[in-house]
Amino acid sequence: MSKRELTKAEIEKLIELSIKAKDKAYCPYSKFHVGAALLDENGNWYTGVNVENASYGGAICAERTAFVKAISEGQRKFVAIGVSSDASEYTRPCGICRQFMIEFGEHLQIFLIKPDRSYLKVILKDLLPDHFKL
Amino acid sequence: MSKRELTKAEIEKLIELSIKAKDKAYCPYSKFHVGAALLDENGNWYTGVNVENASYGGAICAERTAFVKAISEGQRKFVAIGVSSDASEYTRPCGICRQFMIEFGEHLQIFLIKPDRSYLKVILKDLLPDHFKL
Amino acid sequence: MSKRELTKAEIEKLIELSIKAKDKAYCPYSKFHVGAALLDENGNWYTGVNVENASYGGAICAERTAFVKAISEGQRKFVAIGVSSDASEYTRPCGICRQFMIEFGEHLQIFLIKPDRSYLKVILKDLLPDHFKL
Amino acid sequence: MSKRELTKAEIEKLIELSIKAKDKAYCPYSKFHVGAALLDENGNWYTGVNVENASYGGAICAERTAFVKAISEGQRKFVAIGVSSDASEYTRPCGICRQFMIEFGEHLQIFLIKPDRSYLKVILKDLLPDHFKL
Ligand SMILES: [Zn+2]
Ligand SMILES: [Zn+2]
Ligand SMILES: [Zn+2]
Ligand SMILES: [Zn+2]
């Protein structure tokens, strides 16, 4: 599902929201700020940040934060997510987030966004080939 | 911080939101619906649900969902959270959620809510005594 | 590192240990038994099973179990892991495990093993392309 | 179950193994070395260390490492666990580990061990009162 292309305005908004979200990250341990913006099939937007914990294993990434926000509002179908950090290289979703997101569809478009607003689009399926099925 | 008592109206709202949130739970594996409602120190409300995954370890509980929503909006201080399920016994936060929440203060008031709207108030600190510190 | 081919005897042992490990799985919630066998660069073998929890998010998969066993014994370099379940289709590592394992090298050989002992070999790098880097 | 007292020799071994295990910790992110030693009801010993990940949420603590080792060997009943770090204060199990361990019994004896070998004994149940039940 959701293979439609984003409009130029939507891409601009995805970039803008992802970059702005980053400021809200709670990352006193890694100091690595990540922001995400998620667009669902109904045109709603949700932002996310990484939320860390003194027990490192308790950390929740920006992508999962954006997803649970949307899911808790009843949404289940998604078009695209933007992921932004302060790193000079693209920050890709970790395997935990890939696993979490693919539960809701493998065609999700992922926009990796650099601080200078340049981006690279990838498809979730290509980041988690042959994913685990129960 | 945040030791103030909730007003009767706030308690009513906590109960109402927690119970209603439950309907949005994504729990195809456990079929165990949990809803949460979180009140921050600025008077904002955030709801949460459990979001499960084919890889069970990827699951995020309702309490953590509510927390990351609030945190991603910039909030860091919380007054109370309500937790609701369809079980006849009170559903208490799991140890993962206790660990996650205590990062933001040990005096959080937790309202355990039954389907009939009766509730039990506990304090986070009492559910996770002598918590881990890095 | 560790790109050497396994001998026929090693593959047989990987299959044997993975399948046998499965019996020890603690999976009262999913009833999905998974076994793993890990071979390190020094020729040591470690088995793993999935260990579930009433709070689903607490579950640890068979692959991670095998890895932490080896790591706690001081090992850091691995050649191959076998993964076995009772499913008729190959059971692939979830994204959480892919993320966990790639910390120790992307060239790990993964043997997906069916109950009839037939197997498919994949490389970790191909299951988690362009992995997250901090 | 398992409420029996440890002998003086067993306590010495618990301390010794916990402290020695620490050296094997994989903790490049936190630099916080933790070691654990677990004694099961059949008299077997298992050690554990914390194993971290570039994606912080992937970290597995020393206590859980020791547990999955034992469980993957078929053990389900435990008497005591020792937890050791280099901190001057006692390092207590995090909420994630408390949740993980209580699945196998709430009477587990936990020995918090300082570098000088002094220790404090606590019972799991007291560290995770009224734990979550599915
Ligand atoms: Zn992630
Ligand atoms: Zn929980
Ligand atoms: Zn896994
Ligand atoms: Zn822990």
Side-chain angles (χ1 to χ4, degrees), chain A residues 61 63-64 93-94 96-97, chain D residues 55:
Chain A
C61 300
E63 299 92 320
R64 284 178 282 156
C94 76
I96 308 173
C97 289
Chain D
S55 175

Side-chain angles (χ1 to χ4, degrees), chain C residues 5 30 33 42 57 61 78-79 85 87 92 95 105 119 121 126 129:
Chain C
E5 291 297 309
S30 71
H33 292 71
N42 296 319
C61 301
F78 306 98
V79 179
S85 81
R92 289 168 168 83
Y119 69 86
K121 189 178 102 172
D126 296 328

Side-chain angles (χ1 to χ4, degrees), chain D residues 62-108:
Chain D
E63 298 93 319
R64 283 178 283 156
T65 290
F67 260 76
V68 297
K69 282 172 84 168
I71 292 160
S72 68
E73 303 299 332
Q75 190 48 243
R76 297 291 187 266
K77 294 181 179 177
F78 306 99
V79 179
I81 191 168
V83 184
S84 166
S85 81
D86 296 324
S88 53
E89 298 299 309
Y90 291 122
T91 293
R92 288 167 169 84
C94 77
I96 307 174
C97 289
R98 296 179 193 189
Q99 176 66 43
F100 194 86
M101 297 189 293
I102 214 160
E103 182 86 16
F104 301 95
E106 59 187 18
H107 298 293
L108 181 76

Side-chain angles (χ1 to χ4, degrees), chain B:
Chain B
M1 63 210 72
S2 342
K3 295 188 203 174
R4 78 165 177 81
E5 291 297 308
L6 266 64
T7 64
K8 201 164 162 15
E10 285 173 327
I11 294 176
E12 280 309 305
K13 187 162 182 183
L14 199 70
I15 292 171
E16 188 66 26
L17 290 176
S18 300
I19 290 178
K20 268 186 74 175
K22 223 177 9 161
D23 296 339
K24 306 282 181 30
Y26 176 79
C27 51
Y29 306 104
S30 71
K31 321 277 196 226
F32 190 73
H33 292 72
V34 185
L38 176 64
L39 172 62
D40 75 22
E41 281 204 351
N42 295 319
N44 300 305
W45 295 88
Y46 307 90
T47 57
V49 301
N50 49 329
V51 182
E52 300 183 347
N53 192 272
S55 175
Y56 280 22
I60 295 180
C61 300
E63 298 92 320
R64 283 178 283 157
T65 291
F67 261 76
V68 296
K69 283 170 84 167
I71 291 161
S72 68
E73 303 298 332
Q75 191 48 245
R76 298 291 187 266
K77 295 181 179 174
F78 306 97
V79 179
I81 192 169
V83 183
S84 165
S85 82
D86 296 325
S88 53
E89 298 298 308
Y90 291 122
T91 293
R92 287 167 170 84
C94 77
I96 308 173
C97 289
R98 295 179 194 189
Q99 176 66 44
F100 193 86
M101 297 188 294
I102 215 161
E103 181 86 16
F104 302 95
E106 58 187 18
H107 297 294
L108 182 76
Q109 299 169 47
I110 303 176
F111 288 76
L112 308 172
I113 301 161
K114 288 193 184 171
D116 67 2
R117 302 177 69 95
S118 61
Y119 68 87
L120 175 68
K121 190 178 101 173
V122 291
I123 303 299
L124 177 51
K125 181 194 181 75
D126 297 327
L127 290 186
L128 197 68
D130 296 317
H131 67 277
F132 169 76
K133 284 176 192 111
L134 193 58

Side-chain angles (χ1 to χ4, degrees), chain D:
Chain D
M1 62 207 73
S2 339
K3 297 188 203 174
R4 78 167 177 81
E5 290 298 307
L6 265 65
T7 64
K8 201 166 163 15
E10 284 174 329
I11 294 177
E12 279 309 305
K13 187 162 182 185
L14 199 70
I15 291 171
E16 188 65 26
L17 290 176
S18 300
I19 289 178
K20 268 186 73 174
K22 222 177 9 161
D23 296 339
K24 305 281 181 30
Y26 176 78
C27 50
Y29 306 104
S30 71
K31 321 276 197 228
F32 190 72
H33 292 72
V34 185
L38 176 65
L39 172 62
D40 75 21
E41 281 204 350
N42 296 318
N44 301 303
W45 295 89
Y46 307 90
T47 56
V49 301
N50 50 329
V51 183
E52 299 182 348
N53 192 272
S55 175
Y56 280 23
I60 295 180
C61 301
E63 298 93 319
R64 283 178 283 156
T65 290
F67 260 76
V68 297
K69 282 172 84 168
I71 292 160
S72 68
E73 303 299 332
Q75 190 48 243
R76 297 291 187 266
K77 294 181 179 177
F78 306 99
V79 179
I81 191 168
V83 184
S84 166
S85 81
D86 296 324
S88 53
E89 298 299 309
Y90 291 122
T91 293
R92 288 167 169 84
C94 77
I96 307 174
C97 289
R98 296 179 193 189
Q99 176 66 43
F100 194 86
M101 297 189 293
I102 214 160
E103 182 86 16
F104 301 95
E106 59 187 18
H107 298 293
L108 181 76
Q109 299 169 46
I110 303 176
F111 288 75
L112 309 173
I113 301 162
K114 287 193 185 172
D116 67 2
R117 301 176 70 94
S118 63
Y119 68 86
L120 175 67
K121 189 178 101 173
V122 290
I123 303 299
L124 178 51
K125 182 195 180 72
D126 296 327
L127 290 187
L128 197 69
D130 296 317
H131 67 277
F132 170 75
K133 283 172 193 116
L134 194 57

